[in-house]
Amino acid sequence: MCDQTVGPSNAPRDAFLPWHQPSVCDLDSSRQFQNEHLQAKRARVENIIQGMSTMPNPPIMSGALGGSNQLRAQDVKVNCRENKRKQKLPQQQNLQDAALARSGKSSIHADECFQLKKQLHVLQHQLKQIQERFLQPEKTMDLVRGNIGQSLDSDNPTFVSDQGKDNLWRRTPQTQESESSDKEAEMVDFHAMTSEERILSDILKHELIQVVTQAVDSVMRKVLTKSPSLQTQVPTAAPGTQSCTGIELARAGQSGSHNWLPKVSSHKTSIEKPPDFSTCPLHSKIERKPCQGPLMNCPLATSTDVQGSGILSQMLLCGQNGHWNSSPPESLDTPIQPIKLKSSVMRHHRHSKPYKPAEMEHLASLPVPNAEFTETHSLLDTETLTPGHLKKAKLMFFFSRYPASSLLKAYFLDVQFTRCITSQLIKWFSNFREFYYIQMEKFARQAILEGITNPSDLIVTRNSELFRILNIHYNKGNDFEVPDGFLDVASLTLQEFFSAVMAGKDMDPSWKKPIYKIISKLDREIPDAFKSSSCPRELISS
DNA sequence: CTAAATCCTG
DNA sequence: CAGGATTTAG
């Protein structure tokens, strides 16, 4: 009865199964698999070239590569976009790209970009001319089509070092695995060529390399002159040698893998015990397994330890602050956000008529006399949430991850609960959870990469880096003693993420939901002390 | 339909 | 962290 043919909903799930292991049983499909990779690779090359030309022009090699490949490349992009909500995995690959893009913006100014663009266009023209010079006979077109793609990809030892190549080109583990077989297939074609054809392809390759190298060098030069601090690290972008980018990428990955736990080194006070590796089970046997994954597979690896690494890693660092990196920009001194303190005027209004959002805005922007300020501060009922409330909410998160709105009302007695306020509070906790789960997933994945196999090895202690990050987020001043219960919840969450990813469940778009359910049942009673005080000062002392 | 959750973005 | 978009439970 439970036949696979019945349920259409089974179909996608079954597709996950042959994850890493290439199945030997089906020759046809594996052959097609290779073809697809080949195409994908060409599309990738095109993407890169297009990216360099910052897209005002149609791709340089359009003539040689044929339209179908372009479509392919675009399809990839479109699909990424479409799957944005459905798939988590492909996104993470894009994070690297995004980081690069953003970092570029930060270090190179608009006019320089324009200059570079122009330069690139010139180079593109040169390339095109070269191509045209050699591509006149129609019948050589096909030949070249085959070779340009592969020369950039795997066939060309002088383009990038092997080390760098991996990091530059490889996207998914699957891609890498099929690489050797791809190469073999291509080599056969290569040897089948006549000497003339081979020379032709060699020339083309050479020209292509030159152009790309020039472009890279010029970019590097611009970057180097822009950031003098980097000049010592990368003395001269050795012209003619292959993009140091690859090497730098590799280095960044390596140095990062030594300590995958971000150390905030530049902060004066922090809580930081020198990340205590002995007491933190998360670090156990890490040492230095050459970070087998490409950069994107060890997101933590790049988030610190910049010193030795080069420009690219620096750029990556600049770019990635927004999302999963919480530590460096966070100051330990609680930053006081600009919030609108309302005057007592508002309170008078409140009883007369229900305030409308517009009215609130208006009143909130009115100048507030000092006396009013202090009065409001001490008395009951605020229609705006203060930083004090935020701090309190964060501390409450240690006890309850999923507080119902009724519970919130019970604990924020000094707040007038409008719809707006309620949803803001709800939103806060939603944000808290988001941060929390992101950290959990991050550390869980890292643990997997480090070779940990037993979920019970993952226990969050007050010494572990994960705790430090959470504590700095929810308990910035470290002036509240985090309940042990929270550590248990955190450990469990981490383990759940770990096992789920381990089991490959993260392929499922909604794989986190079961985890959310589990965690949502672990809410504890929030101490009554939170009810009384609007500001958690009393809590801090007690 | 609303409320709330999550995801994404800035 | 806030806003917008999207999804989902009730």
Side-chain angles (χ1 to χ4, degrees):
Chain A
M1 283 303 164
C2 344
D3 222 333
Q4 295 176 342
T5 55
V6 180
S9 57
N10 284 341
R13 201 170 294 268
D14 292 337
F16 309 148
L17 293 179
W19 216 33
H20 277 44
Q21 304 296 345
S23 57
V24 202
C25 53
D26 190 346
L27 285 178
D28 264 341
S29 71
S30 75
R31 176 165 258 228
Q32 192 180 350
F33 188 59
Q34 285 191 1
N35 275 337
E36 282 180 359
H37 273 301
L38 214 138
Q39 289 217 324
K41 278 194 207 170
R42 288 180 185 161
R44 239 181 296 148
V45 172
E46 268 193 278
N47 261 334
I48 292 168
I49 304 286
Q50 283 185 24
M52 291 174 67
S53 67
T54 32
M55 70 198 134
N57 281 355
I60 351 170
M61 304 191 291
S62 57
L65 278 172
S68 63
N69 285 329
Q70 288 178 32
L71 284 179
R72 179 91 189 172
Q74 284 170 3
D75 282 349
V76 171
K77 285 181 189 171
V78 170
N79 283 338
C80 274
R81 193 75 193 161
E82 278 178 357
N83 289 340
K84 168 161 64 174
R85 289 209 161 265
K86 297 190 171 180
Q87 285 281 358
K88 182 71 185 183
L89 218 55
Q91 273 174 295
Q92 291 175 336
Q93 300 170 355
N94 291 339
L95 281 172
Q96 299 303 323
D97 299 341
L100 275 172
R102 264 176 284 159
S103 61
K105 184 171 52 184
S106 67
S107 58
I108 304 175
H109 297 304
D111 50 345
E112 290 170 329
C113 280
F114 184 67
Q115 296 285 344
L116 289 174
K117 270 188 211 168
K118 267 167 46 177
Q119 220 168 328
L120 277 170
H121 289 170
V122 173
L123 294 174
Q124 286 167 19
H125 264 291
Q126 290 176 357
L127 177 60
K128 200 165 186 176
Q129 285 174 355
I130 293 163
Q131 283 182 323
E132 283 167 1
R133 208 176 304 158
F134 288 99
L135 291 186
Q136 307 212 344
E138 185 64 26
K139 65 176 183 179
T140 55
M141 290 282 273
D142 287 340
L143 174 70
V144 178
R145 172 189 307 183
N147 277 306
I148 286 190
Q150 67 202 43
S151 66
L152 260 182
D153 206 331
S154 55
D155 206 20
N156 194 337
T158 57
F159 183 53
V160 273
S161 66
D162 285 353
Q163 202 183 13
K165 184 191 69 181
D166 263 344
N167 282 306
L168 278 177
W169 303 122
R170 188 171 53 190
R171 272 203 171 173
T172 67
Q174 289 95 330
T175 314
Q176 186 208 5
E177 279 177 16
S178 63
E179 199 146 76
S180 57
S181 48
D182 269 356
K183 203 185 282 184
E184 269 182 17
E186 288 165 7
M187 289 302 272
V188 174
D189 286 339
F190 184 80
H191 288 309
M193 290 191 289
T194 73
S195 61
E196 263 183 342
E197 290 166 339
R198 207 176 312 179
I199 290 173
L200 175 61
S201 86
D202 281 343
I203 292 173
L204 281 173
K205 286 178 195 173
H206 185 71
E207 295 294 342
L208 197 52
I209 292 163
Q210 296 252 308
V211 171
V212 173
T213 305
Q214 281 177 37
V216 170
D217 283 348
S218 70
V219 169
M220 296 305 288
R221 237 171 273 135
K222 292 278 180 184
V223 173
L224 284 175
T225 55
K226 204 57 198 169
S227 55
S229 64
L230 294 176
Q231 265 170 339
T232 49
Q233 293 170 6
V234 188
T236 30
T241 41
Q242 0 315 120
S243 61
C244 43
T245 53
I247 296 164
E248 295 301 349
L249 264 177
R251 247 192 237 151
Q254 278 176 4
S255 65
S257 71
H258 287 286
N259 40 7
W260 51 282
L261 299 170
K263 298 173 201 162
V264 188
S265 45
S266 57
H267 280 315
K268 27 181 184 184
T269 358
S270 51
I271 327 146
E272 41 186 14
K273 344 217 165 179
D276 182 353
F277 280 71
S278 59
T279 50
C280 176
L282 286 184
H283 310 76
S284 40
K285 38 211 159 175
I286 291 157
E287 278 318 294
R288 66 151 216 138
K289 284 185 229 159
C291 178
Q292 341 97 316
L295 213 54
M296 71 220 181
N297 274 348
C298 30
L300 299 183
T302 65
S303 55
T304 46
D305 209 10
V306 200
Q307 321 108 330
S309 44
I311 297 171
L312 254 180
S313 51
Q314 287 240 7
M315 293 167 99
L316 285 172
L317 282 181
C318 296
Q320 81 185 180
N321 277 342
H323 285 286
W324 53 44
N325 188 357
S326 61
S327 18
E330 299 269 13
S331 155
L332 288 180
D333 315 323
T334 62
I336 300 177
Q337 327 163 321
I339 66 111
K340 306 162 194 164
L341 288 176
K342 68 160 205 73
S343 72
S344 61
V345 180
M346 296 269 308
R347 279 182 293 144
H348 302 325
H349 274 270
R350 181 178 81 237
H351 300 294
S352 53
K353 50 186 168 189
Y355 23 71
K356 297 165 165 113
E359 187 182 358
M360 294 226 342
E361 284 289 331
H362 178 61
L363 289 174
S365 60
L366 289 176
V368 178
N370 272 340
E372 302 274 19
F373 169 79
T374 53
E375 182 192 356
T376 313
H377 197 63
S378 58
L379 288 184
L380 296 180
D381 285 62
T382 319
E383 295 87 3
T384 57
L385 292 170
T386 68
H389 291 127
L390 177 58
K391 194 188 289 183
K392 175 174 163 181
K394 283 181 170 182
L395 294 183
M396 288 169 64
F397 184 79
F398 285 131
F399 300 91
S400 174
R401 268 63 54 188
Y402 291 85
S405 56
S406 58
L407 188 145
L408 293 176
K409 282 172 188 164
Y411 278 85
F412 289 88
L413 294 172
D414 58 339
V415 177
Q416 253 293 319
F417 273 79
T418 66
R419 272 185 200 174
C420 218
I421 295 269
T422 311
S423 46
Q424 189 184 359
L425 261 173
I426 296 286
K427 177 71 177 178
W428 278 1
F429 276 86
S430 178
N431 285 136
F432 298 162
R433 284 191 297 270
E434 192 174 13
F435 179 83
Y436 176 79
Y437 286 128
I438 286 174
Q439 300 307 315
M440 292 298 168
E441 182 181 356
K442 192 163 81 179
F443 278 75
R445 288 188 186 279
Q446 189 60 44
I448 291 175
L449 286 179
E450 300 297 345
I452 294 173
T453 53
N454 191 351
S456 50
D457 286 344
L458 302 176
I459 297 173
V460 179
T461 71
R462 294 177 191 275
N463 288 323
S464 42
E465 189 64 14
L466 176 54
F467 175 81
R468 202 188 63 76
I469 291 179
L470 294 174
N471 189 57
I472 214 172
H473 191 77
Y474 303 114
N475 182 24
K476 207 161 266 175
N478 198 27
D479 38 19
F480 179 79
E481 189 185 342
V482 179
D484 288 336
F486 179 73
L487 294 176
D488 299 335
V489 176
S491 302
L492 204 149
T493 315
L494 186 61
Q495 291 167 10
E496 289 297 332
F497 269 95
F498 177 86
S499 326
V501 175
M502 206 66 174
K505 292 181 179 172
D506 56 339
M507 301 294 286
D508 187 328
S510 52
W511 64 285
K512 292 176 187 171
K513 275 188 184 171
I515 303 179
Y516 295 159
K517 264 176 209 156
I518 296 174
I519 304 308
S520 69
K521 289 174 183 167
L522 300 179
D523 280 7
R524 284 208 315 174
E525 279 275 338
I526 300 174
D528 286 340
F530 282 92
K531 281 180 182 170
S532 52
S533 58
S534 67
C535 289
R537 305 225 167 117
E538 296 89 330
L539 296 168
I540 293 164
S541 54
S542 66

